Amino acid sequence: MVNARHKVNLAEVQISAVRAQGAGGQNVNKVSSAIHLRFDIKNSSLPEEVKYRLLQLRDQRISTDGIIVIKAQRFRTQEKNRADGLERLQQLIEDVSKVHKRRIATKPSRGAKERRLKSKNRRSQVKAMRGKVSD
């Protein structure tokens, strides 16, 4: 479900229907169309490195017990909200599973510095010529 490398077992995801918040008239008070999705990171079948990265995230959706709680209530139907919640869980795990290359700091060349200073000087002279003319 997530990657070819990292699949989330749907049996590990607890899905429960709750009433949505916000405006919506009588329908919102009668129908449980919002979805609460709970995913226990520590007891999941994800690789250890992905679990570690997920637990290190500073995300308000992840509790101190290591449980991801996603509330999906964007749509009016339970099915769409369930799909939206699963997609958001998938995106969170995909983002964590990507390993970013470390940036290697480089210095600008001497020619680049000279060209930059020359263009700054040229621009400065253009602006200086816009000043008031004194007699």
Side-chain angles (χ1 to χ4, degrees):
M1 185 174 148
V2 174
N3 263 351
R5 297 178 299 183
H6 310 297
K7 291 199 176 228
V8 173
N9 188 354
L10 287 178
E12 297 174 351
V13 180
Q14 295 176 353
I15 299 173
S16 57
V18 293
R19 288 187 180 158
Q21 295 174 326
Q26 290 181 345
N27 188 56
V28 79
N29 297 325
K30 296 186 298 188
V31 182
S32 297
S33 61
I35 296 292
H36 260 186
L37 207 119
R38 297 173 63 82
F39 181 74
D40 190 357
I41 299 169
K42 294 176 184 173
N43 296 326
S44 69
S45 60
L46 292 173
E48 291 300 320
E49 69 209 27
V50 176
K51 288 182 189 181
Y52 178 76
R53 287 192 201 128
L54 275 171
L55 291 170
Q56 294 303 312
L57 273 182
R58 292 201 167 276
D59 195 321
Q60 64 185 13
R61 297 173 292 185
I62 301 175
S63 70
T64 54
D65 301 330
I67 297 175
I68 300 174
V69 179
I70 295 176
K71 184 170 186 182
Q73 61 179 10
R74 197 180 335 179
F75 301 103
R76 284 180 61 111
T77 63
Q78 253 187 41
E79 293 79 25
K80 284 185 179 180
N81 283 328
R82 181 173 309 167
D84 180 46
L86 289 171
E87 189 176 312
R88 285 165 41 197
L89 175 65
Q90 174 180 344
Q91 189 62 46
L92 182 67
I93 295 172
E94 279 179 10
D95 291 346
V96 167
S97 64
K98 292 178 189 170
V99 179
H100 298 286
K101 289 184 181 178
R102 289 192 69 134
R103 183 185 176 278
I104 301 172
T106 58
K107 293 183 179 178
S109 65
R110 185 172 159 200
K113 286 181 188 176
E114 288 174 3
R115 285 190 297 274
R116 183 181 132 264
L117 292 174
K118 195 179 285 187
S119 71
K120 281 173 68 84
N121 193 356
R122 198 176 311 123
R123 189 77 186 140
S124 169
Q125 289 173 355
V126 167
K127 289 188 172 193
M129 295 298 286
R130 293 182 188 156
K132 289 187 177 180
V133 179
S134 58
D135 290 330

